[in-house]
Every structure is written in structure tokens, then in C-alpha cells.
Amino acid sequence: MLDLQLGELTAAGPEGVDDALGLVDGFDGALAHGFARIGEEPAAALAALAGAMAGGPLGERAAEAVDKVIAGSIGDEHLAVLAGARAALTGAVHDALLTRLDTALHRERAPWEPAPATGAVPSGSAPATGAELPGNLLAGCRAWLRELAIAGWRGVDHDVVAPSDQAIEALLAVPALRGLAVLLDGLAAELRASCPVSTMDRLPARRWGDLWTRGVLLSRSGPWHGGAEPVSGRLLILGADVHEHATVVRVQVHGILEPAGGGPARLVRTGVAAAKVDTIVGPAVWRLVSGHPVLLGALAGHRALDLTDMPLLPGGDLLWHEDRAAAGEEADPFTTARVLLGAAQAAPVPPLDRHSVRIAEPVLVEGYKIDGGTLELGGSRIALDLDRLPTGTPLTPELVAASSVCLGLVRWDGRWLLQPLAVQATVKKKPVTAHTGDWALGPTDPKVVKAEAKAGDAVAVLRERAGRLLRK
């Protein structure tokens, strides 16, 4: 439970966070103007970034990279070092915030165990993930990201964005690189929608800087997750976080794994995703992931899952395989949280995932009051992240406002936020429970079912049209 520790969590931010983010903002400002011609202010910001790395592993290389960029010699290796320096700062901020959250929750977190050193990874080659990745595809990504850095966000137009299409299409054909492809596709789509960027009053410089940095690091040597271990046991679901975008939907399930043969309960995640178009919204998005009936059935039916040799990555992510899971007995998520969440061990955070926007820790909160968009408990307050409520679920802002028990995710977006995944409320003197995954197998509200029937099955229509085109 996020009980009396709420005050400790929402107190003044950890020392040094503002200073680190100030250095990040300085770098993002330089990136916005572009590295083609570095003025006095951007040069000072880059120098400050290199200065923050002094005495660390990147110290000398960061200073050299800044000198090269200011001199107009912009190579992939220099941009990789600058991206690494920026990631080191955002990672330090993440660590400070996550430590604050773990302390407030009295949550134990397993330490990250670095992989054994096997020698340096050549530029453009892949780490030891079990499969060789085509270096030419990664080089193509780096070339586009380099052009973005040279032009700067203010210099981006359709001619700068267009070359990304070929690189992204090639990445999508390689399963191990689809994560990078989706990342770059999202960045390209945002830039394309903003063209010409020079006319924008305000840039999302932090967001675009985050995407550019991650893209540079992933395209340097390919994705790296570390080796997966097969695990068996019982997965007790806490809730589902549904990410909806114009071209993709992802359902990320948070739960607690009780390992077979004993051992401490572990906080884990798993997820499934599918491509979509922007006309598919609301409950229809669940049909896009209908190829995972075991997982969706457990969400809709509030059931545990019995896992057999399911791959688990070091960062706590289960690689979902339907054939390695079976529906178990009923398991109420609120009961699971009350009994197991407090003692469950949190997973370590992989190095490239150390960013504050990726903080999403499950908590159970009870006995609070809702005042507008704020939850108040024990004299302390935390804002509710209602913008993340998916449209295809029975969980609405009105139910959250009427609730007294909430199972959700604590996030950070410049301040601490609580994103509801499930609530228990009283409506017209009757108890009501709603979860984001309740409609995973289809809506149960008669009004919504009727509206869906009247509107037609957009997913089925699009699949039929796609099949017709493929048959031609």
C-alpha cells in the first residue's frame, strides 16, 4: 500500500535532480538549433555536459566529442558519446527518483547484474543476443539520426524526414530490430506532423531529445536485453496498462510471479502489441491482440496464469508465449495486492531503461479522498494521471472520482503521478469494481455492445480488405 509514506514520496525532489535536468535542457537546446553551426550558447551547453562527465568513464571521450562537434567534424562515434553522456544524466535522475519511491514503499529491488565482459562490440555489430544483426541497417539509422543532429529540430522539413522511411521499412523486416523501428517511426511521424518545425512556437525538445538519444544508442550496436531465463510458476495479475497510438497498440500487464518450487514473489511485466490505424479506437483495439486468448482471458476473467518455462528477461519482462501459459484459478487483483504486493521483490532496471518516464511501479491505495484530479491521503496529495486511462475499458474518470480503493502505477512526469489500473467505488449506493482489462474479450456494458454492433467491426473490415489486396 502507498500508505503513510505518501508524504515522504512527494516531499522536495532528490538533491541534484534539477541541476542534472538543467544540463539535459542545455544539450536539447543545442540539438534544437543543430550542430551544423554551433553558436556560443550551444557550445557552452555542450561543454557543460562534457564537464559533468569529468572524472567518469566518459570524461575524456565526452570532452573530445564536444571539441570535434564544435569544430564541425561530426561523426557517428562523437554523437554516440554525446548521447551516452545525456543518457548518463537522465539515468542518474531516474536512479534518484526510483530510490525515493522504493524507500517510500519499503520495496526491495534486486541489483542489476552486468553481463560478463566479452570484449568490445564493433560499431554497427550486435551484442551477443544469439543472432547476428545486419550492420548496414543500423548504419542507415545512424546516418538519418546524424542528419537530424546536423540540421537541428528547427531545420527539419519533409526533405529531412523522408529518408527515414527506407531505413524503418528495412528494420521492420528484422524481428530483433522492430523495437528500434517503432521508436524511429514514432519520431519520424511526430517530426512529419510538425513540418516545417521552424514555424513551431514551442518545441517538445525534451521528448525529441529522449527519442533521438535512445535511437542513437540502440542503432550503435543493436538491442540489448541480456539473456532470458526460463521461469515456471503462478502469475497473479495486478492490472493492464494500455498504450494507444495512431499506428500501434500495446497492452502491458503488471503482475506478481510466484516461482514454482518456492522463492520470493517477484514483480514482473509482460506485454503484447499490434499494428493499428488511427480509426480503430475504443473497445475495438482489444480485437487487434485477439491472438493471445489465454492472456486476454485472464485479464477479463481475473484469473491467475500457470506458466511453464516462460522466458524472463533480467529487467523483469516476461517474453509472452501463449503455449507456455494456462488459465488458472480465479485471483482478484485487489486481494493479490493486499496479500503479496508489499513483500514482492522488484526487478532491477536495465541500463538503457534508466529514464524517469519509464518509472511505473504498482501500488495499492485505500482510504483516500479525491479532490478534483488529486488524491489526498493522510494530509499528503498526489496528482491522478487520468490522461492515460484507455478508452476501451469501463474504468472512467467518474469512477475514479467516486472510488475509495485504487490499484495503480506511480509515475514521474516532472512530479509524482498515480495512474489508476483498477478501482473500487460506490455508485448510487452500490459497490462497483472496474479494471482496465475487463473488456479484453469484448465489452460487457450493454450500451457499449449496442453501439459497437451499430458501428460495425472496423478491425474485421480492414483485415478483409487487406486480405483482398494480398490476393491480387
Side-chain angles (χ1 to χ4, degrees):
M1 290 177 59
L2 184 63
D3 197 31
L4 299 176
Q5 295 77 34
L6 182 58
E8 181 179 351
L9 174 67
T10 56
E15 185 178 355
V17 166
D18 291 340
D19 293 337
L21 292 178
L23 292 170
V24 171
D25 289 340
F27 175 85
D28 292 343
L31 189 60
H33 289 286
F35 294 160
R37 295 181 180 179
I38 299 290
E40 183 177 339
E41 186 175 343
L46 294 179
L49 177 72
M53 299 295 109
L58 286 177
E60 293 184 5
R61 297 182 66 186
E64 178 186 358
V66 169
D67 290 341
K68 292 289 186 180
V69 169
I70 292 176
S73 177
I74 306 172
D76 289 346
E77 66 276 14
H78 306 132
L79 295 180
V81 171
L82 293 180
R86 186 186 184 280
L89 289 173
T90 55
V93 171
H94 164 276
D95 293 350
L97 293 170
L98 189 59
T99 298
R100 166 72 66 85
L101 179 55
D102 286 343
T103 300
L105 296 175
H106 300 291
R107 180 162 293 169
E108 179 187 353
R109 186 171 300 275
W112 176 259
E113 299 292 344
T118 57
V121 178
S123 174
S125 64
T129 58
E132 292 298 323
L133 298 176
N136 62 315
L137 299 187
L138 297 176
C141 295
R142 294 196 299 273
W144 181 61
L145 292 167
R146 183 176 64 249
E147 290 304 311
L148 288 180
I150 293 172
W153 305 129
R154 289 294 183 187
V156 169
D157 56 21
H158 289 289
D159 291 337
V160 176
V161 179
S164 67
D165 295 339
Q166 184 176 358
I168 293 169
E169 184 178 358
L171 289 177
L172 287 170
V174 182
L177 294 178
R178 285 176 186 163
L180 176 60
V182 171
L183 173 80
L184 296 182
D185 186 47
L187 174 59
E190 291 187 20
L191 292 175
R192 187 175 285 112
S194 304
C195 284
V197 178
S198 59
T199 62
M200 293 180 66
D201 294 332
R202 186 175 180 181
L203 295 179
R206 176 77 63 80
R207 173 176 172 76
W208 287 354
D210 287 340
L211 296 174
W212 179 87
T213 297
R214 189 169 178 84
V216 168
L217 295 177
L218 288 176
S219 64
R220 181 70 178 172
S221 57
W224 172 251
H225 298 296
E229 61 167 319
V231 295
S232 300
R234 188 169 68 148
L235 176 62
L236 298 158
I237 292 176
L238 294 170
D241 182 14
V242 183
H243 304 263
E244 293 182 59
H245 301 281
T247 58
V248 67
V249 58
R250 177 176 176 81
V251 179
Q252 187 171 57
V253 178
H254 293 258
I256 296 175
L257 175 66
E258 292 185 318
R266 304 161 69 175
L267 282 169
V268 295
R269 299 175 298 267
T270 192
V272 294
K276 67 181 287 290
V277 295
D278 54 8
T279 56
I280 298 177
V281 295
V285 300
W286 290 104
R287 290 196 283 277
L288 296 172
V289 291
S290 59
H292 308 279
V294 176
L295 181 61
L296 299 189
L299 282 172
H302 304 157
R303 290 186 173 276
L305 289 164
D306 296 321
L307 309 183
T308 303
D309 294 333
M310 188 76 74
L312 176 65
L313 296 174
D317 289 289
L318 291 164
L319 301 180
W320 188 254
H321 292 261
E322 281 278 303
D323 58 345
R324 303 186 187 186
E329 60 187 8
E330 291 188 5
D332 175 56
F334 287 101
T335 302
T336 296
R338 291 187 179 101
V339 175
L340 295 175
L341 185 55
Q345 184 183 64
V349 181
L352 277 183
D353 291 346
R354 292 169 55 242
H355 194 293
S356 56
V357 300
R358 299 180 71 89
I359 294 176
E361 290 294 312
V363 295
L364 177 67
V365 196
E366 300 184 84
Y368 53 80
K369 295 181 179 180
I370 302 294
D371 181 10
T374 304
L375 181 148
E376 183 176 346
L377 177 67
S380 299
R381 300 164 67 90
I382 186 171
L384 292 168
D385 194 354
L386 300 179
D387 291 339
R388 290 181 181 268
L389 289 181
T391 57
T393 79
L395 184 58
T396 63
E398 291 75 19
L399 271 181
V400 174
S403 68
S404 58
V405 182
C406 178
L407 185 53
L409 301 174
V410 175
R411 294 185 174 275
W412 172 268
D413 187 11
R415 57 176 178 163
W416 291 109
L417 301 167
L418 178 62
Q419 174 193 348
L421 298 182
V423 297
Q424 292 178 339
T426 301
V427 179
K428 296 181 180 180
K429 299 183 179 180
K430 295 182 178 181
V432 176
T433 300
H435 301 255
T436 52
D438 281 348
W439 290 355
L441 295 178
T444 56
D445 186 325
K447 294 182 180 179
V448 177
V449 173
K450 185 177 181 180
E452 285 271 289
K454 184 177 181 180
D457 191 342
V459 176
V461 171
L462 290 172
R463 282 176 174 165
E464 192 278 331
R465 290 178 180 175
R468 189 186 308 163
L469 289 173
L470 290 173
R471 288 192 295 271
K472 287 184 178 181

